[in-house]
């Protein structure tokens, strides 16, 4: 968090948006954990629970975004304070999108279960990528809470592992569909799930980039990973 201000209310406002972001992050984490558990067991009821909570995620984003807008209008923050408000605003947008991806995965699970078509597809890569994505999300929220640029930079670099799992699964899935065209419909649903998991990792990475932006004032989008870690450690 930034240094103390002359206005204790300003400090309270900044603390509140940070705390509310972490509350939203906890809900979104729970959504991702539930939907990956539902995917592992093809549990339609658990998938339904995820879809029912989607509105709560959206409500959080709307409320926190309104808080950020009020701070900008009333306090007119500058420097690191301004970056913090902007970082929170961007982070909640990414959290809302993670919630959307969890909802999309849940809907695909429900569709696969309802169709009840037999398929024999090894989805180990998606399970692994899902756990990686959940781990990145947790770490990115922890880095945001502590404004830990070093940890955030490592998360940005680690996201590539999820991309590798996704590419490996796509190659394998093409082979499955070539060998048995009857599974194509279900395979495409699973492909959408794999892509949603990859996007969750991307959004977690984005949140980590905002940590570095707030803490260091760096736009990290075009900085190589090795250089990013070096700069974050300074």
């Amino acid at each position: 968090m930034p240094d103390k201000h002359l206005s204790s209310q300003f400090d309270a406002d900044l603390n509140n948006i940070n705390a509310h972001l972490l509350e939203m992050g906890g809900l979104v984490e729970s959504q991702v954990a539930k939907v990956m558990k539902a995917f592992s067991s093809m549990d339609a009821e658990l998938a339904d629970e995820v879809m029912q909570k989607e509105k709560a995620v959206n409500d959080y984003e709307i409320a926190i975004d309104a808080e950020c807008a009020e701070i900008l209008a009333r306090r007119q923050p500058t420097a690191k304070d301004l970056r913090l408000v902007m970082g929170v605003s961007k982070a909640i947008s990414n959290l809302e999108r993670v919630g959307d991806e969890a909802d999309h995965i849940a809907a695909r699970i429900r569709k696969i279960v309802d169709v009840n078509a037999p398929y024999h597809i090894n989805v180990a890569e998606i399970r692994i990528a899902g756990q990686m994505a959940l781990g990145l999300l947790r770490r990115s929220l922890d880095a945001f809470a502590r404004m830990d640029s070093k940890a955030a930079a490592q998360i940005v670099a680690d996201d590539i592992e999820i991309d590798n799992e996704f590419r490996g699964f796509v190659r394998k899935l093409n082979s499955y569909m070539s060998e048995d065209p009857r599974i194509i419909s279900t395979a495409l649903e699973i492909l959408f799930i794999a892509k949603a998991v990859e996007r969750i990792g991307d959004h977690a990475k984005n949140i980590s980039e905002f940590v570095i932006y707030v803490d260091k004032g760096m736009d990290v989008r075009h900085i190589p990973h090795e250089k990013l870690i070096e700069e974050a450690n300074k």
Side-chain angles (χ1 to χ4, degrees):
M1 289 297 296
D3 296 334
K4 290 290 183 180
H5 301 91
L6 294 177
S7 168
S8 60
Q9 185 57 51
F10 190 6
D11 283 323
D13 290 342
L14 294 176
N15 285 327
N16 281 340
I17 60 170
N18 209 48
H20 294 160
L21 178 148
L22 296 177
E23 288 175 10
M24 180 182 182
L27 174 58
V28 172
E29 269 189 49
S30 174
Q31 289 284 86
V32 174
K34 278 185 180 180
V35 84
M36 293 314 302
K37 183 177 179 181
F39 176 68
S40 293
S41 57
M42 282 296 154
D43 186 333
E45 290 185 6
L46 192 55
D48 288 342
E49 286 183 27
V50 172
M51 288 187 281
Q52 289 165 8
K53 286 285 184 69
E54 170 63 10
K55 184 178 182 301
V57 174
N58 295 338
D59 289 345
Y60 258 113
E61 185 199 16
I62 292 168
I64 300 170
D65 195 52
E67 288 182 272
C68 290
E70 185 172 355
I71 290 174
L72 291 173
R74 294 179 59 191
R75 305 295 181 183
Q76 298 181 345
T78 60
K80 191 171 182 178
D81 297 330
L82 176 59
R83 296 199 303 271
L84 175 63
V85 177
M86 293 175 64
V88 168
S89 181
K90 291 177 182 293
I92 61 170
S93 177
N94 276 267
L95 284 174
E96 191 273 334
R97 289 170 187 165
V98 171
D100 283 346
E101 297 300 345
D103 182 66
H104 295 161
I105 293 171
R108 300 289 180 180
I109 292 169
R110 166 53 77 180
K111 189 171 181 181
I112 292 169
V113 171
D114 287 347
V115 171
N116 196 30
Y119 67 93
H120 303 286
I121 300 173
N122 186 335
V123 295
E125 291 90 347
I126 302 180
R127 293 195 183 103
I128 292 169
Q131 291 307 308
M132 286 181 179
L134 181 59
L136 287 188
L137 181 60
R138 286 172 175 160
R139 288 165 57 198
S140 67
L141 290 167
D142 180 65
F144 203 105
R146 295 183 291 110
M147 278 297 136
D148 187 341
S149 295
K150 181 178 179 181
Q154 189 59 57
I155 293 166
V156 173
D158 289 349
D159 177 57
I160 194 171
E161 296 179 20
I162 296 177
D163 297 337
N164 290 337
E165 291 291 339
F166 173 72
R167 285 192 288 269
F169 179 73
V170 170
R171 288 193 295 270
K172 186 172 75 174
L173 194 61
N174 286 333
S175 298
Y176 278 120
M177 291 189 290
S178 297
E179 293 170 3
D180 187 357
R182 294 172 299 176
I183 69 166
I184 287 177
S185 178
T186 301
L188 289 176
E189 298 294 342
I190 295 174
L191 178 60
F192 284 125
I193 291 173
K195 186 61 181 175
V197 169
E198 184 197 31
R199 290 194 187 109
I200 289 171
D202 289 341
H203 291 307
K205 179 189 72 172
N206 290 346
I207 293 170
S208 294
E209 290 177 348
F210 303 143
V211 173
I212 299 168
Y213 168 71
V214 174
D215 189 39
K216 301 287 188 179
M218 296 165 52
D219 184 345
V220 303
R221 290 173 295 178
H222 306 298
I223 301 176
H225 292 159
E226 297 79 6
K227 181 67 174 177
L228 178 61
I229 292 173
E230 177 185 336
E231 291 292 329
N233 285 331
K234 289 181 179 178

